[in-house]
């Protein structure tokens, strides 16, 4: 199974790009600031290199899991023991990969699984945290929407191009 690591690095940038747009005051940024009791002055503080740098590192961590969720062939490779053991796999594995090695390796398919990850994984986590933190539904929906959009795009990039 061919693999393009550049797609993972590009996919990790998605959270920064979507966040730049999503949390802009002309989109959902004003709601986000109000729900967090932030002022524009509050947002000018903090170590931006640290914030953006760690955001990218965390996004890379997400890409690792999204790869397993969006590219189904990784499960088949795992069943034979991973890349080190591919050469010793039985002929049935080679036949399977010849038939299905590129099946469902599209942006559309990855975007579907990314969307499902956002809706059924990120949204409940944000919802649970928001409820216990006594946050509003606006807060929950703004953050959940960000992750649903981000994971949809990330899943599409990973599945279609990795």
């Amino acid at each position: 199974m061919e693999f393009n690591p550049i797609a993972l690095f590009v996919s990790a940038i998605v959270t920064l790009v979507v966040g730049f747009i999503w949390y802009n005051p002309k989109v959902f940024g004003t709601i986000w600031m109000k729900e967090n009791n932030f002022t524009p002055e509050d947002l000018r503080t903090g170590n931006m290199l640290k914030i953006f740098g760690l955001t990218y590192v965390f996004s890379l961590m997400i890409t690792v899991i999204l790869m397993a969720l969006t590219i189904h062939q990784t499960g088949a490779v795992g069943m034979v023991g991973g890349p080190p053991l591919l050469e010793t796999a039985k002929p049935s594995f080679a036949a399977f990969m010849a038939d299905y090695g590129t099946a469902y390796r599209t942006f559309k398919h990855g975007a579907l699984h990314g969307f499902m990850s956002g809706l059924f994984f990120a949204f409940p986590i944000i919802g649970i945290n928001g409820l216990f933190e006594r946050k509003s539904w606006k807060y929950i929906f703004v953050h959940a929407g960000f992750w649903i959009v981000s994971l949809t795009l990330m899943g599409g990039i990973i599945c279609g191009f990795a």
Side-chain angles (χ1 to χ4, degrees), residues 41-117:
E41 293 76 33
D42 294 331
L43 299 179
R44 289 187 188 95
T45 63
N47 182 338
M48 290 310 191
L49 182 60
K50 176 181 162 185
I51 292 168
F52 289 118
L54 286 174
T55 295
Y56 185 72
V57 169
F58 293 147
S59 295
L60 282 171
M61 293 167 67
I62 293 169
T63 64
V64 173
I65 293 303
L66 273 180
M67 193 167 104
L69 294 173
T70 62
I71 302 174
H72 303 305
Q73 290 82 352
T74 55
V77 171
M79 288 181 67
V80 298
L85 300 176
L86 288 178
E87 295 80 30
T88 61
K90 295 185 178 188
S92 58
F93 175 77
F96 174 83
M97 290 306 283
D99 289 341
Y100 303 105
T102 58
Y104 300 105
R105 291 292 303 270
T106 64
F107 182 91
K108 181 179 173 182
H109 185 79
L112 171 66
H113 284 283
F115 174 81
M116 291 181 352
S117 299

Side-chain angles (χ1 to χ4, degrees), residues 22-23 27-37 123 126-127 129-131 133-148:
W22 195 266
Y23 293 103
V27 185
F28 297 109
T30 303
I31 296 168
W32 172 74
M33 286 192 302
K34 182 179 176 197
E35 295 303 311
N36 283 295
N37 296 316
F123 174 51
I126 292 164
N129 283 352
L131 290 170
E133 293 172 0
R134 308 308 193 263
K135 297 292 187 178
S136 70
W137 282 104
K138 281 183 186 179
Y139 172 93
I140 292 169
F141 287 136
V142 166
H143 286 302
F146 164 76
W147 281 110
I148 290 169

